[in-house]
Amino acid sequence: QVQLVESGGGLVQAGGSLRVSCLVSGGTFSTYDMGWFRQAPGKEREFVGAISWSGRRTYYGDSVKDRFTISRDNAKNTVDLQMNGLKPEDTAVYYCAAGVHSIGSDYYILRTANHYNYWGQGTQVTVST
């Protein structure tokens, strides 16, 4: 019943910016911790960032820290990932994920894929040289 739909992916030159968005429907968005993950062909799924149910805590993977920003709008049931200073190494399919918040949802939990119950189909981001 819960659906996540990503949008905003595309082709961008190195050094450019892109914003991907995720729309959540069929659930109570404000109860979900939200995460972004990415996966390139032949590579493992990688944690990109997460934002707590309240929006008051954010976490990032080391490879994107200081370049990417995650945000949410509970009135619109959306979570966004603003990507600046893009590098070819950022090329991947980006996935949005939702997990039911509980006590103890700290950084170590929010960065693990097993925390998330629902996943989107993904959106392709390609960064050219």
Side-chain angles (χ1 to χ4, degrees), residues 104-127:
S105 294
D106 59 10
Y107 171 80
Y108 301 99
I109 294 175
L110 267 61
R111 70 178 299 166
T112 61
N114 286 341
H115 174 63
Y116 299 95
N117 308 100
Y118 311 105
W119 293 80
Q121 298 275 21
T123 186
Q124 176 71 47
V125 173
T126 302
V127 184

Side-chain angles (χ1 to χ4, degrees), residues 22-89:
C22 176
L23 175 64
V24 181
S25 62
T28 306
F29 180 73
S30 60
T31 68
Y32 299 146
D33 298 318
M34 299 297 300
W36 284 97
F37 294 78
R38 68 186 184 186
Q39 188 166 25
K43 295 187 177 181
E44 296 292 327
R45 180 173 48 193
E46 179 186 16
F47 171 74
V48 176
I51 186 167
S52 65
W53 66 275
S54 66
R56 296 180 178 177
R57 291 181 290 119
T58 58
Y59 307 103
Y60 299 94
D62 289 342
S63 63
V64 306
K65 193 177 302 181
D66 300 322
R67 296 189 297 120
F68 291 9
T69 303
I70 190 170
S71 61
R72 68 189 296 158
D73 187 339
N74 285 0
K76 298 179 180 179
N77 288 6
T78 58
V79 58
D80 292 351
L81 183 70
Q82 177 67 45
M83 301 179 287
N84 298 326
L86 283 163
K87 305 174 181 179
E89 303 93 285

Side-chain angles (χ1 to χ4, degrees), residues 10-16 85-91 125-129:
L11 176 65
V12 64
Q13 292 192 92
L86 283 163
K87 305 174 181 179
E89 303 93 285
D90 296 318
T91 296
V125 173
T126 302
V127 184
S128 63
T129 58

